Amino acid sequence: MKYAILSLGMFIGVISQSQAQIQTKIGAHIAYGSEIENIGAGVNAEFGLSNKLSVAPSFTFFFPKDYGYLEQKMWEANANVHYYFLNTGVVNLYGLGGLNYANVEVETVWWGSSFSESQAKFGFNVGAGTNFNFGGKIVPFAELKYVVSDFDQVVVAAGVRLAL
């Protein structure tokens, strides 16, 4: 009977420990896009599926770029999957892959009339990132990805996520 109770206690401990690592996190980030050559801000989330796998949607709005008579705006929405290949406790490295949807708009004012043209494209993301777990609910992160599409660009992002 003692062994059954001890085994049950160990089983519950292992299950609760593994569930503790499967978290939901929401946060904000700043980013730099190499194609638009400007910084942006956005929101992101991460939904743990297992200890090694999570789904990570994000949205980034790049600040408008002014070329005098022309203004360029860009935003992107991403649906990525993170695969954690190194969990040291403090530093957790992951590879990422997923889908990207980007929208670019160019607007100009000429002789009192406003003209704009926008274009949206789907693409793929590939990259890597890291979370820094310092023991609190706030988890800083950094990420580097390459967007493969008609709007090819490297995006470097850093921010924080709040573990729920």
Side-chain angles (χ1 to χ4, degrees):
M1 184 66 167
K2 285 193 265 184
Y3 294 113
I5 293 173
L6 181 61
S7 297
L8 180 62
M10 288 176 58
F11 177 73
I12 291 172
V14 167
I15 294 291
S16 65
Q17 178 65 25
S18 68
Q19 290 297 321
Q21 295 176 8
I22 302 172
Q23 293 182 330
T24 297
K25 302 176 203 144
I26 58 170
H29 62 269
I30 58 171
Y32 177 80
S34 66
E35 180 66 22
I36 192 167
E37 296 179 344
N38 211 0
I39 61 172
V43 293
N44 59 75
E46 186 174 9
F47 304 101
L49 301 176
S50 71
N51 289 338
K52 295 233 177 234
L53 200 61
S54 65
V55 175
S58 67
F59 178 84
T60 304
F61 176 79
F62 293 96
F63 299 120
K65 186 100 179 209
D66 189 8
Y67 295 101
Y69 61 93
L70 224 110
E71 183 179 68
Q72 181 183 21
K73 300 174 188 172
M74 181 177 188
W75 58 265
E76 67 174 19
N78 301 288
N80 292 322
V81 174
H82 293 174
Y83 179 78
Y84 286 88
F85 55 88
L86 178 64
N87 290 324
T88 67
V90 175
V91 176
N92 300 322
L93 297 174
Y94 58 86
L96 72 82
L99 297 175
N100 171 279
Y101 181 78
N103 184 53
V104 175
E105 180 181 355
V106 177
E107 186 175 359
T108 186
V109 176
W110 190 257
W111 293 83
S113 297
S114 177
F115 301 97
S116 68
E117 179 72 29
S118 67
Q119 197 174 38
K121 297 289 182 183
F122 281 98
F124 297 99
N125 296 321
V126 62
T130 184
N131 290 331
F132 301 98
N133 294 319
F134 297 120
K137 289 205 172 269
I138 296 177
V139 181
F141 75 95
E143 201 169 86
L144 174 69
K145 71 177 178 189
Y146 182 71
V147 181
V148 181
S149 77
D150 285 350
F151 303 140
D152 287 353
Q153 74 172 345
V154 174
V155 178
V156 179
V160 295
R161 294 186 186 112
L162 176 65
L164 302 178

